[in-house]
Each structure stands twice: as structure tokens, then as C-alpha cells.
Amino acid sequence: MREVNGSNTDPNRFRNRTMNLPKSMKALTAMAFLAVLTIAQPLQALATAPASPQLSIILPRGIQRGHDHVLLFAGARLNDAQEVFFYDTGITVKKIEQVNANQVKIHVTVAADCRVGEHVAQLRTKSGITEYRNFFVGVLPSVAEVEPNNAFDKPQKVAFNHTVTGIVNTEDIDYYAVEAKKGQRLSVEVEGIRLGGAFWDPFIAILDKNRFELAASDDTPLLRQDGHVSIVVPEDGTYTVLVRDSAYQGNGACRYRLHIGSFPRPTVAYPAGGPAGTELEVKFLGDPTGVLTRKYKVPAKWTFRSGIHYEDKTGITPSPVAFRISNLKNAFEAEPNNQRNQPSPAAFPCALNGVIGQPGDRDYFKVSGKKGQVWDIECFARRIRSGLDPVINIYNAQGQRIAGSDDARGQDSYLRYTIPADGDYLIQVRDHLRRGQADFVYRIEIKAPTRTLSVGIPRVDRYSQRRQTIVVPQGGKFASLVSARRAGFGGQLVLDKNDMPAGITAKAEPMAANLNIMPVVFTAAPDAPIAGKLVDFKLRHIDEKQKISGGFFNVADLVLGPPNNSRYHAGIVDKLAFAVVEKVPFRLELVQPKVPLVRNGRMNLKIKVHREPGFKGPVVLQFPFRPPGVGTRNSLTVPADKSEALYPINANGNAQIGKWPIYVLGSGNVNGNAWVSTQLAYLEVAQPFLTVTMKRTSTEQGKPAQIYCKINKIADFEGEATARLFGTPAGIVVAPQKFTKDTPELTFTATTTPKTPVGKHRNVFCQIVITKNGEPIVSRAGVVELQITRPIVKKKPPAKPAQTKPVAKKTAPAKKEKPLSRLEQLRKNRNKKDKTP
């Protein structure tokens, strides 16, 4: 099942944080954020890769369907524009006209049945693909704002059923006057923050001739930060529509499209979902003329960015209301059902539909369950743009509350419950604050857990779309990480059959069951045509019998705001943009390692830069995919006069053992930044051949210390290995030791000096180097503490009276002392101190 106009992870979930703030707080947060944004925007521009074409805005921000239009794509490095990617049907490109290096005019024809609402598009050039940006398709003809129109008694006159395009500046109020007849519907809807240009909070109102406010809107459940109002005109006359920022902020980027007309403006559909391929009667609630009804044929499958528009002879809603498509049968509340002994019946699995119509209302449903059944119970209210803040509770047949949920999916509810015994169970739903309203619609889906899979590309930059497309040079390679989100299942994933542009092939190893990313290397043939395509890029379960497959889904931040750069409006696409671009004058090769990277070990990967004649620039390398437990640096630069580099990597003691696909990504300045990758190589992560157990030891400055190492062999190796000590304090000299697989222990002699630093040196470690296939296997085998102390200074004893010198006795030759252990040395030093007068 897929959701229309929403998802379990709401891309705009943060915008509700400021919807209920007082105006003064909104003003403060807006001013603070605009101040930060003024500084941050140039920094973001500087961070953009200089070669990639960049799309900043599409103008005009909206166009009328059924007509021809000229769209201006403005940005940077657009001088070789080739194609426009539209993510919806209904818009045909007639001509691409180059204005200058940073602007392109796109001549289009918009079909009469083109979907009304938000659309997204991006531009493909010979050197790459731009970000995608949004624009809107409407039904009404447009008229531009004409200043001055910021006084109530001097409004701009507009005809009924038009869309006004304007800009709100600081402390700006725009007034528009329309003539309306008694009994006529007067609807106003604004597209403001949804235009994606700036963070601002539109406020709209309808005023009568005496300046009394008949209706006003700031934030709404349907349009969130944007607003809508609709009234039945009380008498013939002139009515004034105003638009401003709710906190009287604004700037040149605060654009709006203000729809003024007789069009219907319901707020929610009831039911807000239905079984795919069926026809059902849908009621549209929230319109001032009353409940609107129409038959609706539910699409046979989920379609991206669709919803339901209500259309009649008075017009069509500028924005759709949300509607979910599933395979669940609808069950409806039957009033009265606000007591436990009056539940509306339903059968599992199902979708419960109802309305919390008045304050204090609560609805009960009765559903029979079998012992051991697992129910996923998910309430959709805010995600279908209802104003309800739902709370759900489950009761058994005895009336005992056994489970409940509030705000598990944003402000919506969700829980998974295992049925403990056969019998009837009651599902209760109410508003969190026990409010009620005629359009407080809810939909509770009760079903067995389902298996879902979605695919994406992890973000390279937090707030940009950089490297969110696949751009492959002719005869070259480009690689990307591909992410997956599994729900309800596990196991490895592989590439599905993907219809990529001609000449491009993809190579990837199965995604490990415990990971959610995998590296994929794309190769373009030398004769691949320079072209592009939007691809329904998919992964699937490695076992085809599981019949689990998922497609691409990407969310881009179009408007960010307080607090903490929260997302207020997002651009969402369901396809991955591909392009073949012109050949670049360098390529990369990752020399396949012949030995494994062992736990607690390190390795240098050799990268070769193959340069075409004339290309002498530096190449910046990155190592994007890191197997679990493997680490490295962020980047490495190969100087202009070099053709090889060693990229250091390391593995910790818990690195996941296995054979892993790896690649290196590189960029060079070819009249701008060009990206290529190496081939897919393989890195084996393995257990080390041995570890060592080292005994703590101590010595005095200027004296030698012996460090004993017991070898714990894990696997045999051929030839000699070398052991070295690292981490010793300055001035200590320790000779390396050679040994074989049969050596049981090693002894290092550490030579100190009188200036060797005193203290406990806890990071002295033994490094083992074993050569195999002509390459070193380097590991950190053990760690020990080495204590350096100052020499004990003996006090000079007092002078004694002269005595006759005794006859010396013969003594036996001194025996060679066995090296003392750490504990024995401490005891000896203590005894010396005790005996010192």
C-alpha cells in the first residue's frame, strides 16, 4: 500500500511546530531565521560544485493549463541545456531557447487535462543535471500585482476567478477588490511558502465594504503554512481580499499566487481512502455551501502526487484533498457509537472511517480477533490534512483498556498489538483535547504487518541535492551509494531490472542483510549517446519468490525555517534522474588488494589516476562506502604532478568479517568539477593471524625495560613476521623482532635515557606485519602499559667512628638475576624505600 499526499515519514513534519505560536513569537523566529538565512545562502552557493549546472528558480511560479507558456529556468552554468525532466505528464516541451549562460527559456504546451497543483522539473545539460525545483499548474488566468495596492481604500481591482501573482515585502499588505453577488461562493487560496522560494507565513482575509473581517486564515491543516478561506457572499457588493505575512515580515523572495473566485474549497474527503480499482461515493467536507458529493473511481494502483479535486460548474479546487489507496475494505461509523455498548461493527482487516463531529465526541468500533493475530493499527488524521489530533485506545470485551497510542506518527497514532485471546475488541478514537468539528475526519487502518521497501540515495550535503542524480561520462564510470528502507522483512537486496539510458550498465553486490546502503558503479559505453532519462530505479529481495520490490523516493528541502533549519516545504520525486555526459580527460583505477584488511589493522589502497594529454589538474578522492567497522579520512588529494596515491583505511576490533565491494570517487576541474569513479573492487575483512598478550612493566630513567609478549596464534602464516613496538615515550629505542608461526613468545628490550618522560604510558602497542602475495598485512596485536619512574636517590648516612677494617670474606660469584615481574619490582622498590633512613 502506498499513501497519496503523505507518508509515514511526513517530509513537512516540522512545520507544525510554529503553527500555534503567538504572533510575537512568530515574528521573533522569522526575524532570527531571516538574519541567519542572509548569511547562510551565500555560503551554500559557495559550497555548490562549480561544474554542476544549478537551477535556482522556475518563472513564472505558476502557469494555466490548456495553454502555451514560456518558462524561464534561472540558475548557473546552464549554457548547454539539452532536455527538461518533468516528473508528471501533461506538459510538452516545444522549444529550448538559450538566453545566456545562466538562463534558459523553455517553451511548453500544457494539456487541458494536466494535473492541477504542484509540479517539479529539472534541466539536463551536456555536463550534468540540475536540482529539481517546483512550479504550479492552475486553472484560472493570471494577473500581476500592480503597486501601489497597500491601502484598503485604494485596492487593486481584479476580476472574479483569477489568480494574482505578487510579492510581500516587509510590513507590506496587498489589497485586492472583487465584485460578488449575494449567495455566490467567494473562495480565496494562497500558494506562498509552497512556492519554495523563502520562509514566510502568509495571512489572508476577506473584508466587507466596512472593513469588517468576514473570514481569515493563517495556518490550516489542509495547506499548513499557507491559508484558504471561503464564504457565501451575504450581499451584492465589493469585497476586499488582503494578503500579508502573519508577522509583517517579507522580502523580495516572498512570492505568492492568490486564487480568488467561486471555486469549491472543501478541506477533507470522507472517506479519505478506498480500495484500489473500486468506485465509491466521496463526501467533501468543509465547504461553506455544505457537504459536496461525487463518485470517484479509485486508481488501480498508487499514482505519484495524486489526490482528489472537487470540480463543478463553479470551478475546481486549486489544491487537492488527500486520499489513500489501499486494499482494505472500508467500514464506517454508524451513530450513535460514542459509548462502549454502541460500537460500530467491522471485520479484520479493514479501514475504519469516521468523523469526530463535536466536542467530547468519541467513536467506538468492534472488531473480532483470533489469538496470535498481529494487528498494525494506524490512524490517519493529520496526514490526510484533517484537524483532528487523534488518540486511539483498545479495550477487551470486559471493558478493560489494554493498549493505546498518541503521537506515534507525528500527531497521528500507531501501535502494533498481538491478540491475546479469541474475542471481540473495541477500538476507541477521540481528539487529544476532546475537540470536535464537522471536518475532523479520521481513517484507522487495521491490518497484518506488511512488507515494504523504498529506495533512495543518501545525502552528501545536509541541505542540498548535490550528487542525488546519476551522471556518467562517456567511456567512464560513476558510482553512488544506494540506500534502502526495509519494513516487515529482512535479508539481502539486489538491483532489480531497471530501464536505464542506452549505453549505461550497473554493477553491485547484494546489500548485506544488516546494512541499509550498498555501492553501485555505473559504466557508460564509449559510444553511449549523450542523453538522459527519469528511471523508476528499484531494488528487490534476493529471493525472487519473496516478491518484494521497492522503487526510488527522494525528498528535497525547498523551504527551511526555525527552529534549527526545520523543513517547512519539501519537493518529492519518485524517479531517479540519469544522464550520459561528454567524456572527461581522466579516469580512476583502484588496484585490487591481494591481502585482507584484518581486525585492528590498517591498509593503504593504491589509486591510479589515468590522465589524458593536457589534463594536469589535481584530483580529489573520496572513499564513500565503508564496511562496518572500517574507517578512513574524508578525502585525499592527488597533486597535479602525480598519477598515484595511497588511500589509508583501517579496521577496528569489531569490523564485520566478509568480502566487501568498494570504490573510490574522484573529482577534477574540467572547466568545472567533473566526477568519476573507479571500478568496483573488493576488500576482504578478516581475523588477524595472531594477537599478543603483553605484561605491564616498569623501569627507571636510564635503565632498560624488558617487555614480554605471549603470542596467541589464530591462524598459520608462511615465512617470517615482524613485530614492532609503537607508542613508547620519546627517547626510547626498541629493536624490532622477527618470528615465525612457531614462535611462542617475544621479548622486547626498551632502552631508556635519563630524560625519558616519567609516567604511565598506557598506549604502547605491538604492531605485526606479515607479508603475503607480496603485500603487507598490518595489525595492532596488543597493548601494554609501560611505567617510567625517577631513580631512587639514597640519602648519605651520618659519619661513623673509625673502625678496624674487618677481614674480607670470600663470597660466591653473583648469580644472574631472573627479570622481575611488575609486582616483584614494585615490592622491591617499596622495601628499598622502607630501609632508607
Side-chain angles (χ1 to χ4, degrees):
M1 176 178 56
R2 304 290 293 273
E3 179 184 339
V4 177
N5 274 0
S7 67
N8 286 344
T9 304
D10 186 350
N12 300 301
R13 60 193 180 279
F14 294 112
R15 65 192 306 165
N16 290 328
R17 293 181 180 179
T18 62
M19 287 182 66
N20 298 317
L21 287 176
K23 298 294 182 185
S24 59
M25 288 299 295
K26 285 187 176 182
L28 289 174
T29 54
M31 286 189 290
F33 182 73
L34 286 173
V36 173
L37 190 63
T38 304
I39 300 172
Q41 283 179 334
L43 294 179
Q44 290 177 357
L46 288 173
T48 304
S52 306
Q54 179 183 343
L55 178 61
S56 301
I57 195 169
I58 300 172
L59 296 172
R61 301 302 294 123
I63 52 180
Q64 185 182 10
R65 70 178 181 179
H67 295 270
D68 290 348
H69 297 275
V70 178
L71 294 171
L72 179 68
F73 283 51
R77 298 170 294 279
L78 305 179
N79 53 317
D80 53 358
Q82 299 289 300
E83 182 181 10
V84 181
F85 290 152
F86 290 108
Y87 285 79
D88 295 272
T89 59
I91 303 176
T92 304
V93 176
K94 297 170 58 180
K95 178 183 176 183
I96 297 177
E97 179 185 350
Q98 197 78 48
V99 178
N100 53 47
N102 300 322
Q103 293 183 336
V104 180
K105 286 183 178 179
I106 309 296
H107 298 253
V108 299
T109 297
V110 184
D113 61 350
C114 181
R115 181 181 59 79
V116 174
E118 185 177 24
H119 289 246
V120 293
Q122 61 195 141
L123 197 63
R124 180 183 67 80
T125 71
K126 286 184 178 180
S127 59
I129 303 173
T130 68
E131 306 92 333
Y132 56 83
R133 299 298 179 192
N134 70 341
F135 66 99
F136 282 74
V137 172
V139 174
L140 305 179
S142 294
V143 58
E145 173 194 8
V146 178
E147 294 282 3
N149 66 336
N150 55 355
F152 174 78
D153 56 349
K154 295 181 180 180
Q156 178 181 340
K157 293 183 179 181
V158 297
F160 219 63
N161 290 321
H162 274 71
T163 296
V164 184
T165 61
I167 294 175
V168 169
N169 288 297
T170 304
E171 299 184 357
D172 189 11
I173 304 176
D174 292 340
Y175 292 94
Y176 301 96
V178 295
E179 298 293 327
K181 299 293 185 180
K182 180 179 179 179
Q184 191 176 29
R185 181 198 291 119
L186 173 56
S187 297
V188 180
E189 178 178 325
V190 65
E191 293 158 4
I193 198 169
R194 288 178 293 163
L195 295 182
F199 171 77
W200 70 294
D201 186 11
F203 174 88
I204 58 174
I206 300 175
L207 311 177
D208 67 11
K209 62 182 179 181
N210 298 316
R211 206 169 185 170
F212 285 106
E213 191 176 90
L214 301 180
S217 176
D218 181 2
D219 302 325
T220 61
L222 175 64
L223 304 178
R224 292 176 170 153
Q225 221 74 10
D226 288 342
H228 62 85
V229 290
S230 190
I231 65 169
V232 175
V233 175
E235 60 181 7
D236 293 0
T238 301
Y239 292 84
T240 302
V241 177
L242 73 83
V243 58
R244 62 173 172 84
D245 181 82
S246 64
Y248 294 93
Q249 300 298 304
N251 58 55
C254 296
R255 293 182 170 86
Y256 63 82
R257 282 168 42 87
L258 189 68
H259 307 287
I260 304 174
S262 59
F263 53 84
R265 185 57 280 175
T267 58
V268 67
Y270 180 73
T278 63
E279 184 176 71
L280 69 159
E281 185 176 86
V282 177
K283 296 178 180 179
F284 294 80
L285 311 180
D287 189 85
T289 63
V291 177
L292 308 174
T293 305
R294 61 164 280 199
K295 294 285 187 181
Y296 178 62
K297 181 63 180 292
V298 182
K301 62 179 182 178
W302 178 85
T303 54
F304 183 66
R305 210 186 291 278
S306 62
I308 305 180
H309 290 269
Y310 184 83
E311 183 175 8
D312 59 20
K313 63 182 180 181
T314 65
I316 182 173
T317 54
S319 301
V321 294
F323 191 87
R324 289 181 53 78
I325 300 174
S326 72
N327 58 357
L328 298 174
K329 292 184 178 180
N330 282 333
F332 297 91
E333 69 160 323
E335 294 286 359
N337 70 332
N338 58 351
Q339 299 295 328
R340 292 179 191 171
N341 60 354
Q342 300 173 318
S344 299
F348 174 83
C350 61
L352 310 177
N353 298 273
V355 181
I356 301 298
Q358 55 189 358
D361 190 13
R362 53 187 178 182
D363 292 345
Y364 287 89
F365 293 86
K366 181 174 67 175
V367 184
S368 296
K370 298 290 185 182
K371 182 179 180 179
Q373 278 183 339
V374 179
W375 290 4
D376 269 0
I377 306 171
E378 186 161 9
C379 183
F380 293 87
R382 288 303 174 96
R383 287 173 291 169
I384 57 171
R385 306 302 174 89
S386 167
L388 180 70
D389 182 3
V391 177
I392 56 176
N393 291 293
I394 305 175
Y395 298 85
N396 60 20
Q398 291 73 40
Q400 297 172 320
R401 181 184 179 278
I402 52 179
S405 173
D406 180 20
D407 295 349
R409 295 281 194 265
Q411 288 177 283
D412 286 347
S413 304
Y414 165 81
L415 76 156
R416 177 169 291 180
Y417 185 70
T418 302
I419 301 300
D422 293 359
D424 293 335
Y425 293 85
L426 299 181
I427 310 294
Q428 181 213 67
V429 58
R430 62 173 175 83
D431 182 76
H432 179 77
L433 297 177
R434 291 178 169 78
R435 300 171 303 146
Q437 195 168 293
D439 60 353
F440 275 15
V441 171
Y442 62 84
R443 176 179 173 86
I444 304 174
E445 297 183 357
I446 308 176
K447 61 184 186 300
T450 55
R451 303 183 301 180
T452 60
L453 172 64
S454 61
V455 181
I457 292 179
R459 289 195 183 191
V460 177
D461 294 328
R462 184 177 178 185
Y463 300 120
S464 83
Q465 299 177 44
R466 190 163 69 94
R467 295 218 316 263
Q468 298 287 295
T469 58
I470 305 300
V471 178
V472 193
Q474 289 177 317
K477 301 180 186 298
F478 177 79
S480 175
L481 294 178
V482 173
S483 62
R485 183 176 180 181
R486 307 175 181 88
F489 74 98
Q492 293 180 311
L493 301 175
V494 295
L495 294 177
D496 207 341
K497 296 177 181 178
N498 293 303
D499 186 18
M500 297 178 291
I504 291 183
T505 57
K507 183 177 181 181
E509 295 298 325
M511 181 186 295
N514 65 318
L515 296 186
N516 59 6
I517 56 171
M518 65 188 292
V520 183
V521 173
F522 301 91
T523 302
D527 59 349
I530 295 177
K533 192 174 187 179
L534 293 179
V535 177
D536 186 12
F537 193 77
K538 293 182 178 181
L539 299 181
R540 65 169 176 83
H541 197 282
I542 194 169
D543 181 3
E544 290 191 81
K545 295 180 181 178
Q546 297 291 326
K547 296 182 179 179
I548 301 174
S549 179
F552 184 78
F553 187 82
N554 191 33
V555 179
D557 302 325
L558 297 185
V559 179
L560 301 172
N564 302 321
N565 271 350
S566 299
R567 180 192 298 133
Y568 279 76
H569 190 63
I572 306 172
V573 297
D574 64 343
K575 292 180 176 61
L576 178 57
F578 276 73
V580 177
V581 297
E582 294 176 332
K583 182 180 178 181
V584 297
F586 69 98
R587 62 184 178 88
L588 301 178
E589 177 189 356
L590 197 167
V591 177
Q592 174 63 50
K594 299 178 183 178
V595 295
L597 172 65
V598 297
R599 285 178 169 176
N600 287 320
R602 62 179 178 84
M603 172 187 287
N604 289 323
L605 296 173
K606 181 182 285 189
I607 313 300
K608 294 183 178 181
V609 180
H610 299 279
R611 302 172 185 267
E612 297 288 334
F615 177 70
K616 298 179 180 180
V619 176
V620 180
L621 306 178
Q622 297 180 21
F623 191 78
F625 178 68
R626 302 170 188 183
V630 174
T632 185
R633 60 194 296 174
N634 289 331
S635 64
L636 178 70
T637 299
V638 183
D641 58 344
K642 302 292 182 183
S643 59
E644 288 186 359
L646 296 177
Y647 209 118
I649 61 174
N650 59 78
N652 64 33
N654 295 315
Q656 188 171 335
I657 291 173
K659 188 176 181 180
W660 299 95
I662 56 171
Y663 68 95
V664 170
L665 196 65
S667 61
N669 188 356
V670 185
N671 297 320
N673 235 19
W675 292 90
V676 299
S677 79
T678 66
Q679 84 287 7
L680 201 65
Y682 296 91
L683 174 69
E684 181 184 358
V685 177
Q687 286 278 16
F689 287 94
L690 58 92
T691 63
V692 298
T693 303
M694 306 171 72
K695 289 185 178 182
R696 290 188 301 169
T697 189
S698 70
T699 189
E700 296 178 354
Q701 290 174 315
K703 293 185 178 181
Q706 290 185 319
I707 302 173
Y708 295 92
C709 304
K710 179 185 177 183
I711 296 177
N712 308 306
K713 188 171 68 174
I714 298 174
D716 286 338
F717 59 91
E718 297 180 358
E720 281 189 330
T722 302
R724 290 183 174 86
L725 285 191
F726 290 91
T728 56
I732 288 185
V733 178
V734 185
Q737 300 284 322
K738 298 283 188 180
F739 65 99
T740 67
K741 63 179 181 179
D742 299 318
T743 304
E745 61 182 26
L746 298 172
T747 301
F748 289 96
T749 299
T751 303
T752 69
T753 70
K755 295 183 179 181
T756 299
V758 172
K760 295 180 179 180
H761 305 278
R762 294 186 172 90
N763 199 32
V764 177
F765 66 92
C766 179
Q767 182 191 81
I768 305 296
V769 179
I770 298 173
T771 302
K772 184 178 180 180
N773 298 326
E775 296 182 4
I777 301 172
V778 182
S779 65
R780 179 171 170 161
V783 182
V784 74
E785 177 184 301
L786 173 61
Q787 181 176 352
I788 307 297
T789 62
R790 290 184 176 87
I792 298 174
V793 179
K794 295 182 179 180
K795 294 183 180 180
K796 187 176 181 180
K800 294 182 180 181
Q803 295 180 357
T804 304
K805 188 175 181 180
V807 178
K809 296 182 180 179
K810 287 186 178 182
T811 57
K815 293 183 179 179
K816 186 177 181 180
E817 291 187 2
K818 180 181 178 181
L820 300 179
S821 68
R822 166 72 173 154
L823 182 58
E824 290 170 335
Q825 290 178 4
L826 291 173
R827 286 174 177 169
K828 181 178 179 180
N829 292 340
R830 181 62 184 173
N831 291 336
K832 288 181 178 179
K833 291 179 181 179
D834 291 343
K835 294 176 180 180
T836 300

